[in-house]
Structures are given as structure tokens and as C-alpha cells.
Amino acid sequence: MLMRTDPFREIDRIVQQLSGTSGTWSKPSVMPMDAYREGEAYVIAFDLPGVSTEAIDIDVERNMLTVKAERRPAAKGDGVQMELSERPLGVFSRQIVLADTLDTERIEADYEAGVLTLRIPIAERAKPRKISIGGEAGPRQISG
């Protein structure tokens, strides 16, 4: 039901992680995600610890889902000297091609404990249904 748009994105993520570079708006870092089916919906969970909901942008255009987020440095007061900074900062993005069988009009988004969770229902047209066959013997029901 989901397709990755760039098979080399994981290599870019590893290189960025090893080199310590942050994502920018022109070249964002990849955010880790899980995707699975749960009942009548697909669920996609993105790891975004330390990102406020105001810094998360979710767009759907046709079947292209785009999630962007920005983690900014924590505000520091006078007299604060940074000793160690390992948490990645910058822009994070992920684009996913959604199957036609998903209902992109009814996506639900929740953000809790640093995890953005999107629930995308399976479209009614993609669910199994009964089809009647007409004829001399009358209609019969067939599972579809």
C-alpha cells in the first residue's frame, strides 16, 4: 500500500548521521518511520522527539504524502555554555506515495511522546463486496 520514492534515501540518512550534518530546507534529513496495517487502516508512525506540533507540516497532494518538521536548538540564556550537543537539529522530511486504495480525504494525525502517528483508512472501493449476477435463474451473490 506504500511505496518509497527514493531507494537511496536510507544511504543519505546514514551518511548524514555519521558526518553529523543537520538537515536544511533544501536538503532535509530523513526521519525514521514505521508503517503497518491495523484493521481497516494503514498506520504510519514518524519519530520526531523534541519537535513541537507547530513545527510539523503534513501535506497530501493526490497520492503523495509529505511530512516535514524542524527541530530548532533549545533557547539558551546568558551564561550558558554548551558542553556537548549530539541531538540532531534542522529540517526533517519524508515523502511517501500512497496507494489508490487509501482514503487520503480522511487522514487522522496524532502527536504524542515525540511520535507523529497518521491513520489512513482503506477506501470503501478497495474493500471486498458482494456482486449480484442477473439472469434467468435470478440474481446470485458472489463474494468479490
Side-chain angles (χ1 to χ4, degrees), residues 4-130:
R4 286 190 172 190
T5 57
D6 184 357
F8 299 103
R9 194 98 191 225
E10 186 66 17
I11 295 170
D12 288 343
R13 184 189 68 78
I14 293 169
V15 169
Q16 283 180 343
Q17 191 175 23
L18 293 174
S19 66
T21 58
S22 297
T24 63
W25 285 105
S26 61
K27 186 155 176 64
S29 298
V30 175
M31 63 185 83
M33 70 171 225
D34 291 335
Y36 52 93
R37 183 174 176 165
E38 184 176 76
E40 296 298 318
Y42 256 84
V43 179
I44 307 173
F46 299 93
D47 280 349
L48 294 171
V51 176
S52 69
T53 55
E54 295 81 26
I56 300 172
D57 186 39
I58 306 167
D59 289 313
V60 176
E61 185 175 338
R62 295 191 181 149
N63 288 7
M64 179 66 73
L65 171 71
T66 303
V67 178
K68 278 192 173 186
E70 184 175 11
R71 184 179 308 133
R72 297 179 180 107
K76 297 172 186 67
D78 293 336
V80 175
Q81 180 178 341
M82 182 62 76
E83 295 292 330
L84 179 65
S85 180
E86 292 182 342
R87 298 179 348 175
L89 301 173
V91 180
F92 301 86
S93 179
R94 198 71 184 249
Q95 283 192 315
I96 303 165
V97 176
L98 302 175
D100 291 334
T101 57
L102 298 178
D103 188 351
T104 59
E105 298 293 321
R106 299 186 317 151
I107 296 176
E108 296 176 4
D110 292 308
Y111 186 65
E112 185 178 337
V115 178
L116 173 66
T117 304
L118 303 179
R119 293 187 174 286
I120 310 168
I122 295 173
E124 288 298 321
R125 67 182 180 275
K127 294 179 183 175
R129 61 192 179 281
K130 300 279 186 185

